[in-house]
């Protein structure tokens, strides 16, 4: 008589649950650290964009850059919602679009007072901030750490360009 192999019986045991708990806690701690890092990078980027806003001769350009700064801060913090679809609202997408370097030229007839290094850095900062919420669809901690580092680098390049032009 042949016997059929049987599947091992899986039982709920506290030891198995305890072994999983530290891994979950480590993952959650890494995600929280990445969320804080992203928010910090976003605030630094927003502060630089607010400085750009303060240097504008045209009030409309300054107001637009202030909105961009707020959108950067929001996209790099409050919009990163684990469990969400990772998409930005249409308003935030439009505010962070690359045409930010055109400012309010449709109403002023002029471009914002930005120099080449500032323009490129501003575009990079906006693109990186806009990408941050989508990290919830993948490996949140790892991807957000990468984007936060890139946001810091883009901000540093923009600040360096601003300082070089001022000095």
């Amino acid at each position: 008589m042949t016997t059929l192999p049987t599947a091992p019986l899986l039982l709920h045991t506290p030891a198995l649950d305890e072994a999983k708990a530290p891994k979950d806690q480590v993952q959650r701690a890494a995600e929280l650290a990445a969320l804080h890092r992203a928010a910090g990078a976003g605030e630094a980027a927003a502060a630089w964009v607010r400085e750009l806003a303060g240097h504008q001769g045209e009030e409309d350009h300054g107001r637009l850059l202030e909105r961009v700064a707020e959108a950067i801060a929001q996209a790099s913090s409050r919009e990163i919602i684990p469990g969400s679809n990772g998409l930005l609202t249409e308003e935030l997408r439009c505010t962070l679009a690359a045409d930010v370097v055109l400012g309010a030229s449709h109403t002023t007839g002029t471009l914002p007072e930005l120099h080449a290094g500032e323009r490129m850095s501003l575009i990079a900062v906006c693109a990186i901030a806009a990408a941050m919420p989508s990290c919830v669809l993948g490996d949140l901690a790892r991807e957000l750490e990468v984007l936060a580092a890139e946001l810091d680098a883009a901000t540093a390049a923009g600040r360096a360009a601003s300082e070089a032009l001022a000095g």
Side-chain angles (χ1 to χ4, degrees):
M1 171 173 183
T2 58
T3 59
L4 297 173
T6 59
L9 182 60
L10 298 176
L11 299 174
H12 169 74
T13 63
L16 289 175
D17 291 342
E18 289 170 14
K20 270 181 50 179
K23 183 179 177 182
D24 291 343
Q25 290 173 348
V26 168
Q27 178 63 29
R28 184 66 183 141
E31 288 176 356
L32 286 173
L35 288 165
H36 286 289
R37 171 101 162 77
E43 278 302 322
W48 171 65
V49 174
R50 285 185 189 99
E51 290 171 18
L52 293 176
H55 295 127
Q56 299 304 308
E58 291 280 346
E59 193 175 307
D60 288 348
H61 291 311
R63 276 196 303 269
L64 178 70
L65 286 169
E66 287 287 342
R67 281 197 316 268
V68 169
E70 178 54 35
I72 291 165
Q74 186 174 345
S76 62
S77 61
R78 297 185 305 262
E79 293 298 312
I80 305 171
I81 306 167
S84 72
N85 63 7
L87 299 175
L88 287 176
T89 64
E90 184 176 348
E91 180 182 356
L92 281 175
R93 277 194 315 273
C94 289
T95 302
L96 295 173
D99 66 353
V100 67
V101 297
L102 300 176
S105 59
H106 62 284
T107 59
T108 64
T110 64
L111 292 174
E113 296 173 28
L114 301 171
H115 301 284
E118 292 173 327
R119 278 188 198 95
M120 185 57 70
S121 295
L122 180 58
I123 292 168
V125 162
C126 289
I128 295 165
M132 287 179 146
S134 69
C135 291
V136 300
L137 302 175
D139 183 347
L140 177 65
R142 185 180 59 80
E143 294 172 12
L144 209 46
E145 282 292 337
V146 169
L147 290 180
E150 293 301 324
L151 186 56
D152 281 338
T155 302
R159 281 193 184 283
S162 295
E163 290 169 5
L165 295 165

